[in-house]
mmCIF file of all heavy atoms in Angstrom:
data_model
loop_
_atom_site.group_PDB
_atom_site.id
_atom_site.type_symbol
_atom_site.label_atom_id
_atom_site.label_comp_id
_atom_site.label_asym_id
_atom_site.label_seq_id
_atom_site.Cartn_x
_atom_site.Cartn_y
_atom_site.Cartn_z
ATOM 1 N N LYS A 199 1.547 -29.162 2.652
ATOM 2 C CA LYS A 199 0.544 -30.006 3.304
ATOM 3 C C LYS A 199 -0.524 -30.416 2.300
ATOM 4 O O LYS A 199 -0.772 -29.719 1.331
ATOM 5 C CB LYS A 199 -0.096 -29.237 4.471
ATOM 6 C CG LYS A 199 -1.067 -30.043 5.293
ATOM 7 C CD LYS A 199 -1.376 -29.345 6.594
ATOM 8 C CE LYS A 199 -2.428 -30.032 7.413
ATOM 9 N NZ LYS A 199 -2.207 -31.405 7.735
ATOM 10 N N GLN A 200 -1.150 -31.550 2.592
ATOM 11 C CA GLN A 200 -2.305 -32.002 1.807
ATOM 12 C C GLN A 200 -3.558 -31.851 2.670
ATOM 13 O O GLN A 200 -3.564 -32.259 3.830
ATOM 14 C CB GLN A 200 -2.126 -33.468 1.422
ATOM 15 C CG GLN A 200 -3.370 -34.069 0.794
ATOM 16 C CD GLN A 200 -3.150 -35.495 0.357
ATOM 17 O OE1 GLN A 200 -2.487 -35.711 -0.635
ATOM 18 N NE2 GLN A 200 -3.688 -36.452 1.088
ATOM 19 N N TYR A 201 -4.618 -31.262 2.101
ATOM 20 C CA TYR A 201 -5.895 -31.107 2.786
ATOM 21 C C TYR A 201 -6.901 -31.983 2.045
ATOM 22 O O TYR A 201 -6.959 -31.943 0.812
ATOM 23 C CB TYR A 201 -6.329 -29.642 2.763
ATOM 24 C CG TYR A 201 -5.298 -28.724 3.378
ATOM 25 C CD1 TYR A 201 -4.305 -28.143 2.592
ATOM 26 C CD2 TYR A 201 -5.305 -28.456 4.737
ATOM 27 C CE1 TYR A 201 -3.342 -27.311 3.148
ATOM 28 C CE2 TYR A 201 -4.342 -27.618 5.298
ATOM 29 C CZ TYR A 201 -3.371 -27.050 4.499
ATOM 30 O OH TYR A 201 -2.426 -26.228 5.060
ATOM 31 N N GLN A 202 -7.686 -32.764 2.776
ATOM 32 C CA GLN A 202 -8.507 -33.777 2.127
ATOM 33 C C GLN A 202 -9.893 -33.841 2.735
ATOM 34 O O GLN A 202 -10.056 -33.734 3.945
ATOM 35 C CB GLN A 202 -7.803 -35.127 2.302
ATOM 36 C CG GLN A 202 -8.572 -36.318 1.828
ATOM 37 C CD GLN A 202 -7.776 -37.596 2.057
ATOM 38 O OE1 GLN A 202 -6.566 -37.628 1.911
ATOM 39 N NE2 GLN A 202 -8.470 -38.657 2.410
ATOM 40 N N GLN A 203 -10.896 -34.032 1.860
ATOM 41 C CA GLN A 203 -12.253 -34.366 2.277
ATOM 42 C C GLN A 203 -12.580 -35.716 1.676
ATOM 43 O O GLN A 203 -12.198 -36.006 0.530
ATOM 44 C CB GLN A 203 -13.278 -33.348 1.767
ATOM 45 C CG GLN A 203 -13.412 -32.130 2.646
ATOM 46 C CD GLN A 203 -14.582 -31.283 2.182
ATOM 47 O OE1 GLN A 203 -14.540 -30.731 1.096
ATOM 48 N NE2 GLN A 203 -15.607 -31.184 2.992
ATOM 49 N N THR A 204 -13.310 -36.561 2.416
ATOM 50 C CA THR A 204 -13.630 -37.912 1.963
ATOM 51 C C THR A 204 -15.118 -38.195 2.123
ATOM 52 O O THR A 204 -15.713 -37.840 3.137
ATOM 53 C CB THR A 204 -12.827 -38.951 2.774
ATOM 54 O OG1 THR A 204 -11.432 -38.700 2.596
ATOM 55 C CG2 THR A 204 -13.136 -40.367 2.332
ATOM 56 N N TRP A 205 -15.675 -38.849 1.102
ATOM 57 C CA TRP A 205 -17.058 -39.322 1.129
ATOM 58 C C TRP A 205 -17.069 -40.802 0.771
ATOM 59 O O TRP A 205 -16.135 -41.293 0.129
ATOM 60 C CB TRP A 205 -17.922 -38.571 0.105
ATOM 61 C CG TRP A 205 -18.054 -37.115 0.382
ATOM 62 C CD1 TRP A 205 -19.039 -36.488 1.088
ATOM 63 C CD2 TRP A 205 -17.172 -36.078 -0.058
ATOM 64 N NE1 TRP A 205 -18.806 -35.132 1.129
ATOM 65 C CE2 TRP A 205 -17.661 -34.853 0.427
ATOM 66 C CE3 TRP A 205 -15.996 -36.064 -0.805
ATOM 67 C CZ2 TRP A 205 -17.048 -33.641 0.185
ATOM 68 C CZ3 TRP A 205 -15.366 -34.858 -1.044
ATOM 69 C CH2 TRP A 205 -15.895 -33.666 -0.549
ATOM 70 N N ASN A 206 -18.151 -41.497 1.155
ATOM 71 C CA ASN A 206 -18.340 -42.899 0.798
ATOM 72 C C ASN A 206 -19.646 -43.008 0.017
ATOM 73 O O ASN A 206 -20.705 -43.227 0.612
ATOM 74 C CB ASN A 206 -18.372 -43.766 2.049
ATOM 75 C CG ASN A 206 -18.577 -45.235 1.747
ATOM 76 O OD1 ASN A 206 -18.849 -45.633 0.615
ATOM 77 N ND2 ASN A 206 -18.462 -46.071 2.769
ATOM 78 N N PRO A 207 -19.617 -42.852 -1.309
ATOM 79 C CA PRO A 207 -20.851 -42.887 -2.097
ATOM 80 C C PRO A 207 -21.665 -44.155 -1.911
ATOM 81 O O PRO A 207 -22.896 -44.118 -1.947
ATOM 82 C CB PRO A 207 -20.357 -42.746 -3.540
ATOM 83 C CG PRO A 207 -19.068 -42.002 -3.418
ATOM 84 C CD PRO A 207 -18.454 -42.541 -2.154
ATOM 85 N N SER A 208 -21.015 -45.299 -1.687
ATOM 86 C CA SER A 208 -21.761 -46.547 -1.536
ATOM 87 C C SER A 208 -22.639 -46.538 -0.283
ATOM 88 O O SER A 208 -23.591 -47.307 -0.182
ATOM 89 C CB SER A 208 -20.811 -47.751 -1.510
ATOM 90 O OG SER A 208 -19.978 -47.726 -0.364
ATOM 91 N N ALA A 209 -22.354 -45.644 0.661
ATOM 92 C CA ALA A 209 -23.153 -45.568 1.891
ATOM 93 C C ALA A 209 -24.431 -44.753 1.731
ATOM 94 O O ALA A 209 -25.367 -44.906 2.512
ATOM 95 C CB ALA A 209 -22.308 -44.969 3.017
ATOM 96 N N PHE A 210 -24.498 -43.894 0.692
ATOM 97 C CA PHE A 210 -25.679 -43.036 0.579
ATOM 98 C C PHE A 210 -26.303 -43.005 -0.809
ATOM 99 O O PHE A 210 -27.318 -42.347 -1.017
ATOM 100 C CB PHE A 210 -25.366 -41.603 1.042
ATOM 101 C CG PHE A 210 -24.304 -40.900 0.249
ATOM 102 C CD1 PHE A 210 -24.600 -40.242 -0.926
ATOM 103 C CD2 PHE A 210 -22.985 -40.883 0.688
ATOM 104 C CE1 PHE A 210 -23.624 -39.582 -1.657
ATOM 105 C CE2 PHE A 210 -21.994 -40.233 -0.031
ATOM 106 C CZ PHE A 210 -22.322 -39.582 -1.205
ATOM 107 N N MET A 211 -25.727 -43.706 -1.772
ATOM 108 C CA MET A 211 -26.286 -43.707 -3.128
ATOM 109 C C MET A 211 -26.818 -45.100 -3.466
ATOM 110 O O MET A 211 -26.123 -46.093 -3.276
ATOM 111 C CB MET A 211 -25.218 -43.303 -4.153
ATOM 112 C CG MET A 211 -24.781 -41.864 -4.030
ATOM 113 S SD MET A 211 -23.444 -41.435 -5.178
ATOM 114 C CE MET A 211 -24.218 -41.703 -6.758
ATOM 115 N N GLY A 212 -28.057 -45.151 -3.982
ATOM 116 C CA GLY A 212 -28.637 -46.422 -4.394
ATOM 117 C C GLY A 212 -28.328 -46.765 -5.833
ATOM 118 O O GLY A 212 -28.418 -47.913 -6.248
ATOM 119 N N SER A 213 -27.979 -45.749 -6.626
ATOM 120 C CA SER A 213 -27.643 -45.968 -8.037
ATOM 121 C C SER A 213 -26.698 -44.864 -8.487
ATOM 122 O O SER A 213 -26.560 -43.838 -7.820
ATOM 123 C CB SER A 213 -28.908 -45.975 -8.899
ATOM 124 O OG SER A 213 -29.555 -44.718 -8.833
ATOM 125 N N ASP A 214 -26.053 -45.084 -9.631
ATOM 126 C CA ASP A 214 -25.151 -44.075 -10.174
ATOM 127 C C ASP A 214 -25.906 -42.764 -10.351
ATOM 128 O O ASP A 214 -27.073 -42.772 -10.742
ATOM 129 C CB ASP A 214 -24.586 -44.525 -11.521
ATOM 130 C CG ASP A 214 -23.732 -45.777 -11.404
ATOM 131 O OD1 ASP A 214 -23.498 -46.245 -10.276
ATOM 132 O OD2 ASP A 214 -23.300 -46.275 -12.456
ATOM 133 N N SER A 215 -25.252 -41.660 -10.069
ATOM 134 C CA SER A 215 -25.944 -40.374 -10.123
ATOM 135 C C SER A 215 -24.915 -39.252 -10.211
ATOM 136 O O SER A 215 -23.721 -39.476 -10.362
ATOM 137 C CB SER A 215 -26.812 -40.210 -8.876
ATOM 138 O OG SER A 215 -27.628 -39.068 -8.981
ATOM 139 N N ASN A 216 -25.405 -38.023 -10.091
ATOM 140 C CA ASN A 216 -24.571 -36.827 -10.039
ATOM 141 C C ASN A 216 -24.460 -36.388 -8.581
ATOM 142 O O ASN A 216 -25.356 -36.637 -7.775
ATOM 143 C CB ASN A 216 -25.167 -35.718 -10.887
ATOM 144 C CG ASN A 216 -25.324 -36.135 -12.337
ATOM 145 O OD1 ASN A 216 -24.575 -36.978 -12.831
ATOM 146 N ND2 ASN A 216 -26.280 -35.568 -13.022
ATOM 147 N N PHE A 217 -23.373 -35.696 -8.261
ATOM 148 C CA PHE A 217 -23.118 -35.309 -6.875
ATOM 149 C C PHE A 217 -22.200 -34.102 -6.872
ATOM 150 O O PHE A 217 -21.174 -34.096 -7.566
ATOM 151 C CB PHE A 217 -22.458 -36.493 -6.138
ATOM 152 C CG PHE A 217 -22.198 -36.289 -4.680
ATOM 153 C CD1 PHE A 217 -23.228 -36.079 -3.786
ATOM 154 C CD2 PHE A 217 -20.892 -36.333 -4.190
ATOM 155 C CE1 PHE A 217 -22.986 -35.921 -2.426
ATOM 156 C CE2 PHE A 217 -20.633 -36.174 -2.838
ATOM 157 C CZ PHE A 217 -21.683 -35.971 -1.956
ATOM 158 N N SER A 218 -22.543 -33.066 -6.112
ATOM 159 C CA SER A 218 -21.714 -31.863 -6.018
ATOM 160 C C SER A 218 -21.058 -31.783 -4.651
ATOM 161 O O SER A 218 -21.675 -32.112 -3.632
ATOM 162 C CB SER A 218 -22.561 -30.606 -6.230
ATOM 163 O OG SER A 218 -22.985 -30.526 -7.553
ATOM 164 N N VAL A 219 -19.811 -31.350 -4.632
ATOM 165 C CA VAL A 219 -19.088 -31.128 -3.387
ATOM 166 C C VAL A 219 -18.378 -29.789 -3.473
ATOM 167 O O VAL A 219 -18.017 -29.325 -4.556
ATOM 168 C CB VAL A 219 -18.062 -32.255 -3.088
ATOM 169 C CG1 VAL A 219 -18.752 -33.588 -2.956
ATOM 170 C CG2 VAL A 219 -16.980 -32.318 -4.135
ATOM 171 N N SER A 220 -18.201 -29.167 -2.334
ATOM 172 C CA SER A 220 -17.434 -27.921 -2.287
ATOM 173 C C SER A 220 -16.604 -27.918 -1.016
ATOM 174 O O SER A 220 -16.923 -28.602 -0.044
ATOM 175 C CB SER A 220 -18.355 -26.693 -2.331
ATOM 176 O OG SER A 220 -19.204 -26.673 -1.204
ATOM 177 N N GLY A 221 -15.544 -27.158 -1.061
ATOM 178 C CA GLY A 221 -14.687 -27.060 0.105
ATOM 179 C C GLY A 221 -13.754 -25.877 -0.025
ATOM 180 O O GLY A 221 -13.601 -25.296 -1.110
ATOM 181 N N SER A 222 -13.114 -25.529 1.081
ATOM 182 C CA SER A 222 -12.164 -24.426 1.089
ATOM 183 C C SER A 222 -11.136 -24.674 2.184
ATOM 184 O O SER A 222 -11.385 -25.426 3.130
ATOM 185 C CB SER A 222 -12.877 -23.089 1.313
ATOM 186 O OG SER A 222 -13.547 -23.094 2.554
ATOM 187 N N GLN A 223 -10.004 -24.005 2.029
ATOM 188 C CA GLN A 223 -8.945 -24.155 3.013
ATOM 189 C C GLN A 223 -8.052 -22.929 2.965
ATOM 190 O O GLN A 223 -7.703 -22.460 1.884
ATOM 191 C CB GLN A 223 -8.114 -25.405 2.709
ATOM 192 C CG GLN A 223 -7.061 -25.713 3.731
ATOM 193 C CD GLN A 223 -7.658 -26.109 5.073
ATOM 194 O OE1 GLN A 223 -8.550 -26.941 5.138
ATOM 195 N NE2 GLN A 223 -7.170 -25.502 6.129
ATOM 196 N N ILE A 224 -7.694 -22.413 4.131
ATOM 197 C CA ILE A 224 -6.674 -21.373 4.218
ATOM 198 C C ILE A 224 -5.340 -22.090 4.408
ATOM 199 O O ILE A 224 -5.192 -22.906 5.323
ATOM 200 C CB ILE A 224 -6.951 -20.392 5.368
ATOM 201 C CG1 ILE A 224 -8.261 -19.650 5.118
ATOM 202 C CG2 ILE A 224 -5.780 -19.417 5.532
ATOM 203 C CD1 ILE A 224 -8.716 -18.775 6.270
ATOM 204 N N CYS A 225 -4.392 -21.800 3.531
ATOM 205 C CA CYS A 225 -3.103 -22.508 3.512
ATOM 206 C C CYS A 225 -1.958 -21.539 3.717
ATOM 207 O O CYS A 225 -1.944 -20.448 3.145
ATOM 208 C CB CYS A 225 -2.927 -23.217 2.164
ATOM 209 S SG CYS A 225 -4.253 -24.366 1.757
ATOM 210 N N ASP A 226 -0.997 -21.964 4.508
ATOM 211 C CA ASP A 226 0.225 -21.197 4.729
ATOM 212 C C ASP A 226 1.203 -21.577 3.626
ATOM 213 O O ASP A 226 1.550 -22.755 3.472
ATOM 214 C CB ASP A 226 0.802 -21.553 6.102
ATOM 215 C CG ASP A 226 2.056 -20.786 6.433
ATOM 216 O OD1 ASP A 226 2.152 -19.609 6.055
ATOM 217 O OD2 ASP A 226 2.948 -21.370 7.072
ATOM 218 N N MET A 227 1.621 -20.599 2.842
ATOM 219 C CA MET A 227 2.527 -20.883 1.732
ATOM 220 C C MET A 227 3.708 -19.931 1.748
ATOM 221 O O MET A 227 3.573 -18.765 2.123
ATOM 222 C CB MET A 227 1.784 -20.768 0.403
ATOM 223 C CG MET A 227 0.653 -21.769 0.259
ATOM 224 S SD MET A 227 -0.156 -21.676 -1.333
ATOM 225 C CE MET A 227 1.094 -22.436 -2.367
ATOM 226 N N ASP A 228 4.849 -20.446 1.334
ATOM 227 C CA ASP A 228 6.042 -19.637 1.146
ATOM 228 C C ASP A 228 6.149 -19.268 -0.322
ATOM 229 O O ASP A 228 5.517 -19.895 -1.179
ATOM 230 C CB ASP A 228 7.289 -20.411 1.573
ATOM 231 C CG ASP A 228 7.264 -20.781 3.046
ATOM 232 O OD1 ASP A 228 6.847 -19.941 3.857
ATOM 233 O OD2 ASP A 228 7.648 -21.920 3.364
ATOM 234 N N ALA A 229 6.945 -18.266 -0.634
ATOM 235 C CA ALA A 229 7.170 -17.882 -2.031
ATOM 236 C C ALA A 229 7.647 -19.105 -2.811
ATOM 237 O O ALA A 229 8.484 -19.872 -2.324
ATOM 238 C CB ALA A 229 8.196 -16.755 -2.119
ATOM 239 N N ASN A 230 7.075 -19.287 -3.984
ATOM 240 C CA ASN A 230 7.376 -20.385 -4.906
ATOM 241 C C ASN A 230 6.792 -21.736 -4.505
ATOM 242 O O ASN A 230 7.033 -22.730 -5.193
ATOM 243 C CB ASN A 230 8.876 -20.503 -5.182
ATOM 244 C CG ASN A 230 9.395 -19.263 -5.858
ATOM 245 O OD1 ASN A 230 8.802 -18.766 -6.807
ATOM 246 N ND2 ASN A 230 10.504 -18.727 -5.351
ATOM 247 N N ASP A 231 6.043 -21.820 -3.397
ATOM 248 C CA ASP A 231 5.294 -23.040 -3.107
ATOM 249 C C ASP A 231 4.191 -23.192 -4.155
ATOM 250 O O ASP A 231 3.733 -22.201 -4.730
ATOM 251 C CB ASP A 231 4.648 -22.978 -1.719
ATOM 252 C CG ASP A 231 5.615 -23.282 -0.590
ATOM 253 O OD1 ASP A 231 6.769 -23.669 -0.874
ATOM 254 O OD2 ASP A 231 5.208 -23.143 0.580
ATOM 255 N N THR A 232 3.762 -24.418 -4.370
ATOM 256 C CA THR A 232 2.738 -24.681 -5.377
ATOM 257 C C THR A 232 1.505 -25.332 -4.751
ATOM 258 O O THR A 232 1.584 -25.946 -3.685
ATOM 259 C CB THR A 232 3.272 -25.598 -6.491
ATOM 260 O OG1 THR A 232 3.705 -26.822 -5.915
ATOM 261 C CG2 THR A 232 4.413 -24.934 -7.247
ATOM 262 N N THR A 233 0.389 -25.204 -5.473
ATOM 263 C CA THR A 233 -0.879 -25.818 -5.091
ATOM 264 C C THR A 233 -1.546 -26.386 -6.326
ATOM 265 O O THR A 233 -1.515 -25.766 -7.390
ATOM 266 C CB THR A 233 -1.840 -24.776 -4.469
ATOM 267 O OG1 THR A 233 -1.231 -24.224 -3.306
ATOM 268 C CG2 THR A 233 -3.162 -25.405 -4.083
ATOM 269 N N TYR A 234 -2.149 -27.563 -6.156
ATOM 270 C CA TYR A 234 -3.009 -28.111 -7.197
ATOM 271 C C TYR A 234 -4.117 -28.908 -6.532
ATOM 272 O O TYR A 234 -4.074 -29.188 -5.324
ATOM 273 C CB TYR A 234 -2.214 -28.943 -8.215
ATOM 274 C CG TYR A 234 -1.607 -30.211 -7.685
ATOM 275 C CD1 TYR A 234 -2.265 -31.433 -7.825
ATOM 276 C CD2 TYR A 234 -0.374 -30.202 -7.059
ATOM 277 C CE1 TYR A 234 -1.702 -32.606 -7.348
ATOM 278 C CE2 TYR A 234 0.197 -31.362 -6.583
ATOM 279 C CZ TYR A 234 -0.469 -32.563 -6.728
ATOM 280 O OH TYR A 234 0.092 -33.712 -6.246
ATOM 281 N N PHE A 235 -5.133 -29.266 -7.297
ATOM 282 C CA PHE A 235 -6.299 -29.985 -6.806
ATOM 283 C C PHE A 235 -6.268 -31.403 -7.376
ATOM 284 O O PHE A 235 -5.915 -31.602 -8.541
ATOM 285 C CB PHE A 235 -7.590 -29.279 -7.229
ATOM 286 C CG PHE A 235 -7.713 -27.888 -6.664
ATOM 287 C CD1 PHE A 235 -7.065 -26.819 -7.269
ATOM 288 C CD2 PHE A 235 -8.452 -27.657 -5.523
ATOM 289 C CE1 PHE A 235 -7.158 -25.536 -6.749
ATOM 290 C CE2 PHE A 235 -8.560 -26.377 -4.991
ATOM 291 C CZ PHE A 235 -7.910 -25.313 -5.606
ATOM 292 N N ALA A 236 -6.639 -32.393 -6.567
ATOM 293 C CA ALA A 236 -6.633 -33.774 -7.017
ATOM 294 C C ALA A 236 -7.864 -34.504 -6.489
ATOM 295 O O ALA A 236 -8.481 -34.067 -5.504
ATOM 296 C CB ALA A 236 -5.361 -34.481 -6.547
ATOM 297 N N VAL A 237 -8.216 -35.593 -7.159
ATOM 298 C CA VAL A 237 -9.323 -36.449 -6.734
ATOM 299 C C VAL A 237 -8.862 -37.896 -6.715
ATOM 300 O O VAL A 237 -7.867 -38.256 -7.367
ATOM 301 C CB VAL A 237 -10.564 -36.291 -7.641
ATOM 302 C CG1 VAL A 237 -11.173 -34.904 -7.480
ATOM 303 C CG2 VAL A 237 -10.215 -36.553 -9.093
ATOM 304 N N TYR A 238 -9.606 -38.716 -5.984
ATOM 305 C CA TYR A 238 -9.282 -40.138 -5.851
ATOM 306 C C TYR A 238 -10.592 -40.887 -5.661
ATOM 307 O O TYR A 238 -11.442 -40.469 -4.864
ATOM 308 C CB TYR A 238 -8.374 -40.323 -4.628
ATOM 309 C CG TYR A 238 -8.056 -41.743 -4.276
ATOM 310 C CD1 TYR A 238 -6.936 -42.377 -4.799
ATOM 311 C CD2 TYR A 238 -8.864 -42.465 -3.398
ATOM 312 C CE1 TYR A 238 -6.620 -43.686 -4.461
ATOM 313 C CE2 TYR A 238 -8.560 -43.771 -3.056
ATOM 314 C CZ TYR A 238 -7.439 -44.376 -3.591
ATOM 315 O OH TYR A 238 -7.129 -45.671 -3.256
ATOM 316 N N VAL A 239 -10.764 -41.986 -6.396
ATOM 317 C CA VAL A 239 -11.925 -42.858 -6.196
ATOM 318 C C VAL A 239 -11.440 -44.291 -6.050
ATOM 319 O O VAL A 239 -10.406 -44.683 -6.598
ATOM 320 C CB VAL A 239 -12.970 -42.752 -7.332
ATOM 321 C CG1 VAL A 239 -13.623 -41.386 -7.341
ATOM 322 C CG2 VAL A 239 -12.364 -43.083 -8.680
ATOM 323 N N GLN A 240 -12.230 -45.060 -5.283
ATOM 324 C CA GLN A 240 -11.905 -46.469 -5.065
ATOM 325 C C GLN A 240 -13.202 -47.251 -5.075
ATOM 326 O O GLN A 240 -14.216 -46.776 -4.570
ATOM 327 C CB GLN A 240 -11.190 -46.629 -3.727
ATOM 328 C CG GLN A 240 -10.790 -48.040 -3.380
ATOM 329 C CD GLN A 240 -10.012 -48.073 -2.078
ATOM 330 O OE1 GLN A 240 -9.132 -47.263 -1.850
ATOM 331 N NE2 GLN A 240 -10.344 -49.033 -1.237
ATOM 332 N N GLY A 241 -13.174 -48.451 -5.609
ATOM 333 C CA GLY A 241 -14.366 -49.293 -5.705
ATOM 334 C C GLY A 241 -15.184 -48.915 -6.931
ATOM 335 O O GLY A 241 -15.089 -47.804 -7.438
ATOM 336 N N GLY A 242 -15.949 -49.862 -7.450
ATOM 337 C CA GLY A 242 -16.788 -49.582 -8.613
ATOM 338 C C GLY A 242 -15.971 -49.460 -9.885
ATOM 339 O O GLY A 242 -14.893 -50.029 -10.004
ATOM 340 N N GLY A 243 -16.510 -48.690 -10.828
ATOM 341 C CA GLY A 243 -15.870 -48.543 -12.131
ATOM 342 C C GLY A 243 -15.249 -47.177 -12.330
ATOM 343 O O GLY A 243 -15.595 -46.213 -11.653
ATOM 344 N N ALA A 244 -14.358 -47.095 -13.306
ATOM 345 C CA ALA A 244 -13.668 -45.836 -13.642
ATOM 346 C C ALA A 244 -14.518 -45.063 -14.632
ATOM 347 O O ALA A 244 -14.161 -44.914 -15.790
ATOM 348 C CB ALA A 244 -12.287 -46.124 -14.203
ATOM 349 N N GLN A 245 -15.653 -44.552 -14.171
ATOM 350 C CA GLN A 245 -16.600 -43.853 -15.050
ATOM 351 C C GLN A 245 -16.899 -42.443 -14.585
ATOM 352 O O GLN A 245 -17.511 -41.666 -15.305
ATOM 353 C CB GLN A 245 -17.916 -44.633 -15.104
ATOM 354 C CG GLN A 245 -18.670 -44.602 -13.770
ATOM 355 C CD GLN A 245 -19.897 -45.467 -13.747
ATOM 356 O OE1 GLN A 245 -19.893 -46.578 -14.251
ATOM 357 N NE2 GLN A 245 -20.967 -44.950 -13.157
#
Side-chain angles (χ1 to χ4, degrees):
K199 185 166 175 55
Q200 171 177 286
Y201 303 91
Q202 174 180 323
Q203 276 188 294
T204 300
W205 296 267
N206 180 352
S208 65
F210 61 84
M211 292 176 62
S213 63
D214 297 355
S215 188
N216 301 332
F217 183 63
S218 291
V219 299
S220 62
S222 60
Q223 185 67 48
I224 297 173
C225 303
D226 181 36
M227 298 183 74
D228 298 319
N230 297 313
D231 281 353
T232 59
T233 300
Y234 67 96
F235 298 81
V237 293
Y238 174 91
V239 293
Q240 180 176 315
Q245 68 186 41

